[in-house]
Each structure stands twice: as C-alpha cells, then as structure tokens.
Amino acid sequence: MKKRSYDKVTTAITIIIYLISLIPVFILARYNYPSADDYYYGAYTYQAWNEHHSITAVLQAAMQTIKELYYTWQGTFSGIFLMTLQPGIFGSQWYFLVPFIIISSLTASYLFLLKIILKDYFKASTYHWLTLTFSLLLISIALAHHKAQAFFWYNGTVYYSFIFSLSLFLIGCLLKYPLAKSNRSKFILLFFIILLSFFIGGGNFATALFTPVLITVSALCFRLSGKKIPVPIYVSVICILAGLFISALAPGNSVRQDMQTHTPSIILSILKTVGSCGKDLIRWQNPAVILIFIFLSPILYKIAKNSPFKFKYPLLISIISFGVYCSFYVPTYYAVGYKGPFRMLTVGKYIFYWFLLFNLFYYIGHIIRKREAGIYNFSLIRKYITRVNTHLQKYPVCKCLLVFFVLSGPLMFSDSTFRMAISELKSGEAAQYAKEMKAREKFYLSDEKNIVVEELTVKPEMLYHLDITTNKNYWCNINVSRYFQKESVRTKDKQ
C-alpha cells in the first residue's frame, strides 16, 4: 500500500470510529430531560418564551437573570447567560439537543485549533491533521470523566465544556492573527479575540484563570525565543482579566462564599492542587490511551522532523505545562476546598490529554534533534520498526486491522461513553426514565398549584443528575416550583 493511500485509509478509519462512537450517545439523547439547576437558571427565560414566544423577550429574561444573580448568588455573567438558554425552555422535547451542542462545539474547536497549529504552522498534511484531531477527540469523549455532567446535563456542561471550547477557538484566533495577510482578516480576528476573551473572563473562574495563564506563559516563551509578542495577546489577556474582574466583584459571590464552612489558604490550595494533579498523571492513563499515543507517534515524528523548531528544553516544557495544567484547579481549591465538581474534572481531563499530546510531540522533536546532532543513536529501534513496517506493508489489510484495533480501544472499557450509552439503551432504563419524566411534566403543566408526583423508579447514570424529593423545601423542589410557577412540588411520601 502506498504511503499516501495508507494515510488516507488511516484517516478514514479514525473518523469512522469516532462517528460510530457517537451513535449510541445521540440515540440516548432522545430520552434526556432537564434537572436541578436547569430549572433554576432557566425559569425567567422559560416563562418569557411561553408568554411571548419571542427571542427578544427570552434575551431580556436572560439579562434579568444575570442582574438578579449578580447581586444574590454569583457574578459569572457570561456563564449565567448560557445557562439561561437551556434548550428545554422552548419545550422539554428540545432538551435532546444538549449532547449535540456540546460534542459539536468540542469537535469544531479541536479541528479549528489543530488545523492552525498543524497545517498553518507545521505544514502537516490534511490526513495527519485529521487523524491527530479525531484521535484526540475519540479519547476525550469516550473516556470523559463523568458522562451525565459531560454531555447530558446542560447547566453543568455548558458552563465548563462549552466555555472550554470557546477558549480553544480563542487560542486559534490568536495563533491565526500573525498569519493573516489582509487588514480585513486581522480586524475580523481581533473582533472575535476581544469578544471571546471578555466572554471567557465572565465564565467559570477555572477557565477564566487558566486561559490567560496559558496565553501569558506561551507568549513569554515566544518572547524568550527572540520574537515580538503580537498586540492581540495583550488585548486578549486584558479583556479576559476585565471580564474576570467584573465577575469577581459581584456581591453575590460573598453570599455563596459564606456557605463554605472552611476553605484553605492560597498556598495550601496550590500545594493540594499540585498533589492532586500529580495523581492525574497516573490515574488518567490506561493501556488504550497509551496505545493511541504510540499510534500517533509516527505522525508526530514526521511533523517534528520537518519543522524548524529546536526542541531544546523538554524537561522545562514538562514542568511549565504541568504548572499551567494545575492553574485550572487552583480557583476551586481556594474557593471550596476541593478540586471541583465532576463537570469541571471532565474539562480537566480534556486539558490533560492536550498537554500529553503536546509533551509527546516536544519530546519526539527533542530526540530527533539530538539524533541529528549525533548524540542519540537508535539504530536498533529503527531497525526493528523498519522490519515491522516492512511486514505490514506486505499485508495492508493487517495494517488497517491494527489501526482499527488500536483506535477502538477506548470504546471497549465498560465505563466508556460508548458502552454505557449502549447499556442504558439496551436495558430499557433510558426509555423508562423518559416515560416517567414525561408523566411528571403533565402534572407540572396542569393548573394544579401543589404538585405531588411519583418517585423515579430508574436513574440512568448517563441521564440522571439530581431529582426532587418528598421535601417541598429542598432546593431542587423549589427550582421546579419556580420554573413551572407552582406553590410546591414534591414526590409522594414513601410507604
């Protein structure tokens, strides 16, 4: 099989496996229903849509929610804006869109950023760009930390995963700006840089701190190499910090912070973060992930070999990237005393895989440069690899099957997104859950003011987040009551 044909087949296999892995997830989405904070943040927008059926009215209600919560609960204005627009406000039948929105945003942002890095900067082929991108997407989504909060619960995933996607778009725009040839292109990119930066600054605190840290550290490394830092870098960091400043000054933050009985000092928070992130280096790797990165190594080798970079400081780069990775968790450790909710850990895992890929690429580049200088000699390894590759060339079908086997690895774990979705569809739990939630909704939409509904008999792990209880004053119950404008909502007392 010719080299170009092999690259084409490998790319096709990678994309096909990625798309196959999403099929049960998207089928499962039809059984998805709002829960918990979806009702809290979506109350005004839901009522505005039902009363006026006007997007303008919905946006006004979103602004009302932001203003109210800014003084009473939290200052993350852009995050709140997104949370008020959960698809269920237009009818619960639209809530199935949640995984489509999140997975599409992740896919588009991964493709956008890696296209600029690999094709525009490193001149990689289209096949190599697509293979790397969809392989990274495959492990990110198949091995997501918590499936319900990663893809199905809108309030949690839009606050972290969607805003993380925006940060990837922002970094892509910053990298694209120096390559723009026309003033018009530069103006458009600068517009999106300002918009995305300010929006990210007003999102969750973790991403609002992590993103400028990543940009600043990257810019400093760029400057130390003797090159001038582009103006949009300064603009972006200033806009992010401006949004973060507005968010941090919110009176509502103190109300929420007062609910925390004990929080560590900033020094202790940093130390705890470093210890916990150190454990991630072990617990977030498994044979499937290792095999995929081994599979990607020859592609990274070719890209690094043809690049002009020197790759001089691998150990320093590892230390810096680990420090930047840790910065993602420091705000929550400092604010609440632990690493963060599951929805946040999901994004942390995405970042972990990005840094793993980056470090692997850098170390491969370092080895290449040392070998070119005659310092390293890997003749035995090269001889072995050449022999294996020669045998595989004789049997292209075996080569394709090997690629298929390696890429299918993440899907084989019992707790993979793919297998869990299939399990919940096959068991009937998802269908039963949707049936019971739909039955409840009939009561919620009735003229009754005090609603009593049946307790759920099933709680599918990928669809279920939190539920109301027999206590009408429980916060989930209050959220549902406020959303549907009822005096009270609760489940029946247990016999």
Side-chain angles (χ1 to χ4, degrees), residues 69-339:
L69 293 180
Y70 189 84
Y71 290 96
T72 61
W73 188 241
Q74 67 187 99
T76 50
F77 55 90
S78 55
I80 295 172
F81 176 75
L82 291 173
M83 290 189 285
T84 63
L85 301 179
Q86 59 103 343
I89 66 173
F90 304 106
S92 61
Q93 71 273 18
W94 295 106
Y95 200 75
F96 81 94
L97 289 172
V98 176
F100 288 89
I101 294 169
I102 299 306
I103 292 174
S104 296
S105 69
L106 288 170
T107 303
S109 60
Y110 276 50
L111 283 167
F112 178 72
L113 179 53
L114 283 173
K115 188 267 180 186
I116 293 167
I117 294 173
L118 297 175
K119 286 180 63 67
D120 295 352
Y121 277 87
F122 287 95
K123 309 303 178 184
S125 70
T126 299
Y127 298 127
H128 288 166
W129 158 54
L130 292 174
T131 301
L132 281 164
T133 302
F134 283 103
S135 296
L136 188 59
L137 278 165
L138 181 66
I139 58 175
S140 296
I141 291 175
L143 303 176
H145 186 70
H146 191 281
K147 282 63 175 178
Q149 295 189 28
F151 309 117
F152 291 92
W153 182 45
Y154 178 86
N155 184 273
T157 189
V158 81
Y159 193 58
Y160 285 102
S161 294
F162 186 81
I163 292 179
F164 170 67
S165 296
L166 296 183
S167 71
L168 297 184
F169 278 118
L170 170 61
I171 295 167
C173 289
L174 289 169
L175 291 173
K176 188 70 176 177
Y177 186 88
L179 304 178
K181 296 179 180 179
S182 67
N183 289 332
R184 181 174 179 273
S185 297
K186 288 185 176 181
F187 177 80
I188 293 172
L189 284 169
L190 186 59
F191 170 78
F192 280 109
I193 287 169
I194 294 171
L195 181 65
L196 287 169
S197 297
F198 186 71
F199 198 88
I200 289 167
N204 66 79
F205 289 126
T207 310
L209 177 64
F210 167 79
T211 306
V213 167
L214 176 61
I215 293 171
T216 302
V217 170
S218 301
L220 288 174
C221 292
F222 193 73
R223 184 70 185 89
L224 290 173
S225 67
K227 297 179 181 179
K228 187 178 179 181
I229 299 175
V231 173
I233 296 289
Y234 297 104
V235 173
S236 177
V237 172
I238 290 170
C239 289
I240 294 173
L241 294 179
L244 180 58
F245 184 71
I246 293 171
S247 176
L249 283 180
N253 291 333
S254 60
V255 175
R256 192 168 188 171
Q257 193 63 32
D258 287 342
M259 298 178 66
Q260 304 300 324
T261 56
H262 172 71
T263 55
S265 65
I266 185 65
I267 300 298
L268 187 57
S269 298
I270 293 172
L271 292 175
K272 284 188 173 183
T273 300
V274 171
S276 179
C277 290
K279 294 177 182 177
D280 293 344
L281 299 178
I282 299 172
R283 66 173 180 162
W284 281 354
Q285 296 194 58
N286 57 52
V289 172
I290 293 170
L291 278 175
I292 283 188
F293 278 104
I294 291 173
F295 158 72
L296 295 176
S297 294
I299 298 175
L300 296 173
Y301 177 90
K302 290 168 188 172
I303 297 171
K305 186 178 181 181
N306 296 326
S307 75
F309 290 89
K310 302 300 182 183
F311 304 102
K312 288 184 178 180
Y313 311 107
L315 183 59
L316 180 61
I317 289 297
S318 292
I319 293 171
I320 291 172
S321 58
F322 179 72
V324 175
Y325 171 64
C326 289
S327 71
F328 181 71
Y329 294 107
V330 172
T332 46
Y333 256 118
Y334 180 65
V336 296
Y338 64 99
K339 197 170 183 179

